[in-house]
Amino acid sequence: MQSSAPRTLLVRGGDPRWNALFAAALPGLRVVAAPDDAESIDLFAGWNPEPGLFARLPRLQAVFALGAGVDAFLRRPDLPGSLPLVRLLDAGMAEQMIEYALLGVLAWQRHLLRYEALQQQHAWQPQAPRTRAGTRVAVLGLGEIGAQVARALSGLGYPVAGWSRTLRDVPGVRCSAGLPALGPLLEATDVLVNLLPSTADTRGLLDHARLAQLPSGALVVNAARGDQLDAEALLSLLDDGRLGGALLDVFASEPLPPEHPLWRHPQVRITPHVAAVTLPERAVEQIAANILRLQRGEAMHGIVDRARGY
Ligand code: NAP
Ligand code: GLV
C-alpha cells in the first residue's frame, strides 16, 4: 500500500521544548505530544517511550530516535521490523565524546587516580611522568562518534588504535577489524575507550578474559552501553591490581543501583550517562531534514540496519 506524505509527528522527548523546536522546524507538520488521535500519527520522535505505544499507532511511517544507540528500540516487541528506525548521526555528540575520552586518557597519563588516593593520605609522592607518545589508546567502534574520537586523540599526539567490524580508514589511526584482531589490540592498550553499539555481537564483549588481556595498570573508559562490560570482572581485576582504573558512564542497569559496588570502588569514576548528551537543536535539525526527505520520497540518512543491530 502506498503511504501518503506524513502529516502528524508525535514527540516524546520528556520536555515540551522538543515539541516547540519540531513545530518551528517543520511548519507544515502537526506536532502532538500525546497519541490521542492514534490514527492520525504517522511519525514518531522520542526516547524510551511507554511500552506498547508503537502497536497503538497503525499508520506510523518512521520512528526517529533522539539518540545514537538504538538497542532499547530494537528490544521492543511493539516496534514492527518493517518500520524505518532512524537514529542520530553525531549531531554534536562526537565533540562531547572526545572530551569524555580525553578525560580518561589524561587521568591515566597524569596518574590522577593515584594522586587522589595519595591526597587522602596527605602523601607527596611524585609518580614517573608519562608522555603522550607513551600513552597507547584504543577506541572500539569507529562509527560516527568513535572515528572522530580516535582521530582527535591521534591529533593530540597519542598513538591510537581503532577497531571496528569492517576495516575502516581513519587518518592517523591504526585500524583493525574483527574478533581475531581484538586480543593483540588489547595487549597493547593503556586506555581502552569503548564506543561500540550494543548488539548481539558486542553484548558481554568486554568479559574477564578480554579485560585481563589489557596490560597491568590500564584504564577502561566505557561510554557506550553497560551490557558490553562485565562489571564483576572489572571489579575483580581492579581488586587484583591488574587494572588501574575505570571511567564509567553507562551501566547494565540505569540508574546504577545505590548498593552497587562500583559506586564505592576507589579506582572507579562514575558519571550518570552524560558522556555525550543529545543536543535538542542539533537533533531536531537532523530529524527535520530527514522528514522533509521522506515527504519528498528521498532516502533518509541514519536508517538502522536491523540485521546488523545498529
Ligand atoms: P555507529 O556510527 O553505528 O558506529 C558503530 C561502530 O561500531 C562502527 O565502527 C561499527 O563497525 C562498530 N561495530 C559494530 N559492531 C561491531 C562488532 N561486532 N565488532 C567490531 N566493531 C563493531 O555508532 P555511533 O553513532 O558512533 O555510536 C556508538 C555508540 O555510542 C552508540 O550505539 C551508543 O550506544 C553510544 N553512545 C553513548 C552515549 C553516552 O552518552 N554515553 C552517547 C552517544 C552514543 P563498522 O564501521 O564496520 O560498521
Ligand atoms: C546515548 O546514549 C545515545 O545513544 O545517544
Side-chain angles (χ1 to χ4, degrees):
M1 188 180 69
Q2 185 74 32
S3 318
S4 54
R7 274 193 278 250
T8 303
L9 170 68
L10 170 64
V11 180
R12 281 278 214 266
D15 181 333
R17 193 157 67 105
W18 281 102
N19 297 58
L21 286 170
F22 274 114
L26 295 158
L29 211 68
R30 198 164 70 94
V31 178
V32 299
D36 297 335
D37 182 7
E39 289 277 340
S40 72
I41 290 163
D42 30 36
L43 300 169
F44 172 87
W47 192 248
N48 294 335
E50 64 271 30
L53 174 70
F54 297 129
R56 290 193 280 126
L57 305 175
R59 302 182 73 86
L60 263 191
Q61 291 185 35
V63 166
F64 298 94
L66 298 180
V70 288
D71 43 299
F73 281 89
L74 294 177
R75 275 198 298 271
R76 294 178 64 110
D78 61 331
L79 186 70
S82 56
L83 202 60
L85 169 63
V86 188
R87 70 190 193 88
L88 292 179
L89 302 174
D90 177 3
M93 285 184 276
E95 186 178 307
Q96 300 170 65
M97 202 59 96
I98 290 168
E99 296 159 359
Y100 195 83
L102 186 57
L103 206 58
V105 169
L106 287 172
W108 186 87
Q109 187 195 341
R110 303 306 301 251
H111 301 282
L112 188 66
L113 301 185
R114 180 80 186 118
Y115 285 129
E116 282 178 2
L118 288 168
Q119 184 173 347
Q120 298 296 317
Q121 304 158 28
H122 302 193
W124 185 276
Q125 284 177 23
Q127 304 294 300
R130 290 169 171 163
T131 61
R132 292 190 196 185
T135 301
R136 301 164 296 176
V137 180
V139 178
L140 305 185
L142 294 174
E144 295 291 325
I145 297 175
Q148 293 194 59
V149 169
R151 198 170 171 162
L153 293 173
S154 164
L156 287 172
Y158 295 100
V160 180
W163 186 73
S164 50
R165 193 178 53 85
T166 58
L167 192 59
R168 297 280 155 186
D169 181 13
V170 182
V173 177
R174 203 161 26 84
C175 294
S176 62
L179 272 184
L182 185 56
L185 177 141
L186 293 173
E187 285 167 13
T189 294
D190 300 308
V191 183
L192 180 68
V193 181
N194 178 33
L195 291 172
L196 291 165
S198 172
T199 69
D201 292 333
T202 66
R203 284 190 270 279
L205 184 80
L206 298 175
D207 59 10
H208 192 284
R210 293 214 174 85
L211 292 172
Q213 287 179 291
L214 290 163
S216 174
L219 183 134
V220 175
V221 179
N222 191 15
R225 286 293 182 265
D227 58 14
Q228 297 162 333
L229 173 76
D230 181 339
E232 276 184 29
L234 175 74
L235 284 165
S236 101
L237 289 161
L238 288 168
D239 286 339
D240 291 351
R242 294 283 312 279
L243 289 179
L247 173 60
L248 306 177
D249 186 56
V250 289
F251 305 90
S253 173
E254 294 182 5
L256 182 64
E259 66 282 3
H260 201 288
L262 280 172
W263 282 113
R264 295 188 298 277
H265 201 284
Q267 280 140 275
V268 175
R269 295 295 174 274
I270 287 173
T271 51
H273 204 141
V274 291
V277 301
T278 298
L279 304 175
E281 282 80 5
R282 297 282 299 272
V284 166
E285 184 188 355
Q286 196 174 104
I287 294 169
N290 263 331
I291 290 175
L292 295 175
R293 285 185 191 103
L294 184 67
Q295 287 178 330
R296 291 193 299 262
E298 296 169 11
M300 293 187 286
H301 299 176
I303 295 183
V304 172
D305 180 332
R306 300 291 189 100
R308 281 188 335 190
Y310 66 98

